[in-house]
Amino acid sequence: MNHAQVIQALIALMAAFFVLILSSTVVATSLPVIITDLGGTQSDYTWIVTANFLTMAISTPIWGKLADIFDRKLLIQLSLGVFTIATVAAGFSTTAGFLIGTRFFQGIGVGGMMALGMVAIADLVSPRERGRYMGIMGAIMGLAQIGGPLLGGVVTDGLGWQWNFFLPVPVAVVAFALIQARMHLPRHRRDVRIDYLGAILLSVSMGLILVWMSLGGKDAASGGFPWDSAESILMIGVGGALVVALVLWELFGTKEPIVPLRLFAQRTFALATVASISVGVTMFGATVFLSQYLQLARGLTPTESGLFTIPMVVGSLLSSLVFGQLITRTGKWKGLVVLAAVVLVAGLALFGTIHFDTSMWLVGLYMAMLGIGTGGLLQNLVLVVQNQLPAKQMGAGTGAVTFFRSLGGTVGIAVLGSILGTSVKDRIATGLKGIGIDTSAASSLGSGASVSDADPEQLRSILGLVHDGTLRPLADAAAADPKVVDALGALSSLSASGGSGAADPAQLEQLFGLIATNPAAAAQALPGVDIEALAPLAQAVQNDPNVLSSFGALSELGGASGAAAGGSFDPEQLRSLLDTIHSGSLDQLAALVQQNPDCIDTLGTLGSGTLPHMADLCEPIRNVMESSYGDSIANLFWYCVPLAVITFVAVLFLPNKPLGRKTAAQQLEEELGAELVALEPIDAEGDVAPVEGGPALDEPAVVGAPAADAGTGRVTRIGQNDGHDDSGARA
């Protein structure tokens, strides 16, 4: 293919990549909104991202191996079709669970495009010349990366997040048509067997381990389980055993492994794979939480958060373009890759210092550094590996590198998401306690199991009574004698005995006085009433008449007697409320609500487990939430710094092998040609000797030179036609 044809084929391929990146970037900025609208949790947020990377990681080496066997163009179209259908289905999600399911299928398509796309580029362009075309690819991908977040934010704010999944569909249709019309890849079908057992072992083992990482250490409400639970031990035990079985099978049980582990004997492949794993954790695992930082820690809208990701995208675009051009012109890649690794380490370390109030100029600078680091490493690590791989293993080898990079990203998202969920929960609880909100204490205010179930007006009334001290006498009395709460329950028998006026304060004062001074007379006056049970409350009223006022205030909230009988407060909940008031745990909260009345509505979101809209929170609570998310996400970047250092060390020791000038298709033709030459007798001069009884050969059949067809003397070139099949030549 000439330069113009290569450009057309790459444009078709980049159109497909454009769809993948666009669909990912337009959704990334709206994920916090999606989770909130679907009633999801932090665990759901992590799973929506993890599901995609899970199936992408698992399917990538399978697609790569298939590329060594079947028509690569057809496989690219198939993976694009799977992705597009799953994307459309995601737009119709009504629950977080359904959206997670569609993301699993999206990942299968993404895995195919990631592996097959790089193999197709290797077929079309030599390693030395690839930098020139990477510039074109970087421009198109950069357009999707820059425009995607902004477009996603505008669409989310204007039309709704569902349209973020529908927008890439027309582009996908155009990409499919361009691939069909413009992409003409050479066909080199080989007679090999598909490693079905390896594919099954890979899928099940990686699936179990990644699910274990995602759900381990979480409570049942989040769909998780303790690390030391039976489910956890069984899952990691079976997953680990299957990984051992996979390694043994791939090394000794099959000649065509899905994951060619023997390639790790090559220093270049091993070091580049280690570096790719670390980059995958950084790129996928850390940056995926940037949207949460911008929206939950900085209070930005989806549109604004999309705009603020531009520095990272521009950094990635420029490093990809500049590094690619320099590699093409000079043929030197080692220094540029090491430089990218240094910038990545520095960017992650600086990102670990951010807070919810860090200057956005600094955040933008750190983003640009992350973009430069990842942009200079991602494609160039694949380039270095492809430069070392035999042509026959180009698909499997490229798929393996992409697999380990995706695996690193998937594990990174799962682990970092689990850390973030735990860290945010602890920081929020500590921060809220600092402003007087103890969620465990506040749970006693409502009629349900948590404060999120409580009636806001009831919360407001109770906290008002706490603030002005109305409920303090009753709380102190209950603390002095726990039987006071039981006495409140006994008041319900007054109505049953006909004492309907018992709730009148004056009558209650007389009744309690009579019970305290002459219990026998009280029993005669109120037959059927448990006077003994009422005695503790009567004594408390005698000791402090304000207890009666406290009781009256509770009666106005729903009736203390009715509450004790199972109305607004059950006995245990009432006891918990009074204990909390007595301890003073609600004093600071009551003062906070008096100063910020809108906080009473915010309290209903606490303990619900869902990600809140920051704009809906009152200022004191919003500051706590933003600080908690900001500091927790900053810590995630610190956790990635050691991995980035590993990347730096790995690329530092990569062999500095010059880049080749032949495409993978040309290399494969030479390898197949060498096999043909090996099948023919060789004379002493090194030429192909005529077969006994056969026609004379007009020209020597050497690799890359015209070869005479047997029995005709007609000269043809191996792999000359686009659709050449080497099986005919072998025959």
Side-chain angles (χ1 to χ4, degrees):
M1 297 177 67
N2 57 35
H3 178 73
Q5 291 173 324
V6 170
I7 290 292
Q8 292 176 355
L10 285 176
I11 289 175
L13 186 62
M14 290 308 105
F17 272 107
F18 182 85
V19 173
L20 297 182
I21 298 171
L22 183 66
S23 64
S24 175
T25 55
V26 298
V27 172
T29 53
S30 60
L31 266 182
V33 176
I34 294 174
I35 288 295
T36 302
D37 287 350
L38 296 180
T41 64
Q42 178 65 48
S43 178
D44 292 327
Y45 185 101
T46 302
W47 261 111
I48 287 176
V49 180
T50 303
N52 184 285
F53 287 111
L54 174 64
T55 49
M56 178 182 71
I58 293 173
S59 64
T60 295
I62 299 175
W63 286 107
K65 189 61 184 181
L66 293 177
D68 289 336
I69 304 174
F70 299 110
D71 184 354
R72 292 171 179 172
K73 175 179 175 179
L74 178 61
L75 292 174
I76 291 174
Q77 290 176 310
L78 178 61
S79 62
L80 180 60
V82 171
F83 173 82
T84 304
I85 294 173
T87 301
V88 173
F92 292 100
S93 300
T94 57
T95 64
F98 183 85
L99 179 58
I100 292 171
T102 61
R103 296 283 287 177
F104 276 111
F105 286 97
Q106 273 187 314
I108 296 175
V110 174
M113 287 302 305
M114 294 297 291
L116 299 169
M118 298 308 301
V119 174
I121 292 175
D123 273 343
L124 297 170
V125 186
S126 70
R128 177 65 184 269
E129 297 296 321
R130 202 165 298 159
R132 178 196 306 173
Y133 299 100
M134 286 294 184
I136 301 173
M137 180 177 69
I140 296 176
M141 295 173 69
L143 177 63
Q145 288 179 311
I146 293 174
L150 177 59
L151 180 63
V154 172
V155 170
T156 300
D157 292 337
L159 300 176
W161 59 263
Q162 292 86 349
W163 283 93
N164 285 327
F165 293 100
F166 301 145
L167 283 177
V169 175
V171 184
V173 174
V174 172
F176 194 94
L178 286 175
I179 291 173
Q180 180 62 33
R182 298 298 182 184
M183 179 175 288
H184 305 289
L185 298 177
R187 300 179 182 178
H188 301 291
R189 183 177 301 173
R190 297 191 293 129
D191 185 18
V192 297
R193 297 180 61 184
I194 301 176
D195 183 15
Y196 293 106
L197 180 58
I200 294 173
L201 289 173
L202 174 69
S203 302
V204 178
S205 62
M206 291 297 101
L208 285 173
I209 292 175
L210 292 174
V211 169
W212 175 76
M213 289 182 175
S214 299
L215 299 182
K218 293 185 172 65
D219 53 31
S222 302
F225 43 77
W227 291 115
D228 57 353
S229 65
E231 298 96 317
S232 174
I233 296 173
L234 178 63
M235 192 172 292
I236 189 59
V238 174
L242 290 178
V243 167
V244 174
L246 172 65
V247 171
L248 294 176
W249 173 257
E250 297 295 277
L251 286 176
F252 308 111
T254 178
K255 295 181 179 179
E256 298 287 344
I258 288 290
V259 182
L261 298 178
R262 294 183 185 275
L263 288 177
F264 278 98
Q266 296 182 3
R267 180 180 170 188
T268 298
F269 183 86
L271 291 175
T273 300
V274 171
S276 296
I277 293 175
S278 303
V279 172
V281 174
T282 301
M283 184 182 71
F284 297 119
T287 59
V288 76
F289 297 104
L290 279 176
S291 292
Q292 281 192 299
Y293 171 77
L294 293 173
Q295 294 182 44
L296 298 180
R298 304 310 297 257
L300 302 182
T301 65
T303 302
E304 292 168 341
S305 66
L307 287 171
F308 274 102
T309 60
I310 289 179
M312 184 173 64
V313 176
V314 171
S316 177
L317 171 62
L318 290 178
S319 65
S320 178
L321 284 170
V322 175
F323 285 17
Q325 291 296 327
L326 289 175
I327 289 174
T328 296
R329 292 178 182 180
T330 65
K332 298 179 180 179
W333 57 268
K334 181 72 175 285
L336 296 173
V337 174
V338 172
L339 175 62
V342 171
V343 175
L344 180 63
V345 173
L348 287 172
L350 290 172
F351 238 121
T353 65
I354 62 174
H355 300 284
F356 76 102
D357 56 354
T358 300
S359 169
M360 290 303 295
W361 289 103
L362 288 178
V363 174
L365 175 62
Y366 302 159
M367 284 186 181
M369 295 178 68
L370 286 184
I372 293 172
T374 55
L377 286 169
L378 281 178
Q379 302 302 332
N380 290 326
L381 287 174
V382 176
L383 170 64
V384 171
V385 171
Q386 288 182 336
N387 185 57
Q388 184 76 19
L389 287 173
K392 289 183 180 180
Q393 293 183 316
M394 188 65 66
T398 303
V401 174
T402 309
F403 161 70
F404 285 108
R405 184 179 67 196
S406 301
L407 180 63
T410 307
V411 172
I413 291 172
V415 173
L416 295 178
S418 178
I419 294 173
L420 178 62
T422 302
S423 176
V424 165
K425 182 179 179 181
D426 294 340
R427 287 178 182 271
I428 289 177
T430 302
L432 291 178
K433 187 174 294 186
I435 61 173
I437 302 177
D438 186 344
T439 54
S440 61
S443 66
S444 63
L445 300 180
S447 59
S450 68
V451 72
S452 60
D453 300 320
D455 177 25
E457 291 305 317
Q458 186 184 57
L459 288 176
R460 193 186 311 276
S461 299
I462 293 176
L463 292 175
L465 296 174
V466 172
H467 182 66
D468 62 21
T470 301
L471 296 180
R472 169 68 67 175
L474 181 59
D476 292 343
D481 187 353
K483 293 183 179 180
V484 168
V485 176
D486 299 326
L488 292 175
L491 285 178
S492 62
S493 61
L494 292 178
S495 296
S497 65
S500 58
D504 180 79
Q507 293 182 358
L508 283 176
E509 187 174 3
Q510 294 177 3
L511 172 63
F512 290 147
L514 182 62
I515 294 175
T517 58
N518 193 347
Q524 290 179 358
L526 294 172
V529 176
D530 190 350
I531 299 300
E532 185 178 354
L534 292 174
L537 181 57
Q539 187 60 50
V541 172
Q542 290 297 305
N543 295 337
D544 185 356
N546 290 325
V547 171
L548 191 59
S549 300
S550 297
F551 171 75
L554 279 180
S555 298
E556 293 178 2
L557 291 178
S561 61
S568 299
F569 298 97
D570 61 34
E572 291 305 317
Q573 191 175 28
L574 182 57
R575 191 186 309 277
S576 176
L577 171 61
L578 295 176
D579 288 344
T580 303
I581 296 173
H582 174 73
S583 67
S585 300
L586 294 179
D587 292 347
Q588 195 173 355
L589 173 60
L592 174 70
V593 171
Q594 291 300 311
Q595 297 173 4
N596 302 271
D598 55 333
C599 282
I600 203 70
D601 299 317
T602 300
L603 289 175
T605 65
L606 301 179
S608 64
T610 60
L611 296 179
H613 288 287
M614 290 299 171
D616 297 338
L617 304 179
C618 66
E619 183 176 355
I621 295 180
R622 183 173 66 249
N623 289 339
V624 170
M625 301 290 284
E626 290 178 349
S627 176
S628 299
Y629 273 99
D631 292 344
S632 296
I633 292 174
N635 286 339
L636 297 185
F637 290 97
W638 271 118
Y639 297 143
C640 293
V641 171
L643 296 175
V645 173
I646 293 175
T647 298
F648 169 74
V649 174
V651 300
L652 193 63
F653 287 96
L654 278 172
N656 194 10
K657 180 181 178 180
L659 299 177
R661 293 184 177 272
K662 295 180 181 179
T663 68
Q666 292 171 335
Q667 295 177 41
L668 187 58
E669 288 174 4
E670 289 190 356
E671 291 180 12
L672 294 176
E675 290 183 4
L676 292 175
V677 172
L679 294 175
E680 300 292 346
I682 307 297
D683 64 14
E685 300 297 327
D687 295 327
V688 177
V691 178
E692 183 178 358
L697 297 179
D698 298 330
E699 294 185 35
V702 295
V703 175
D709 286 349
T712 64
R714 181 165 49 87
V715 175
T716 59
R717 183 176 294 278
I718 297 175
Q720 183 174 5
N721 296 325
D722 229 14
H724 176 71
D725 186 348
D726 61 86
S727 59
R730 294 188 181 189

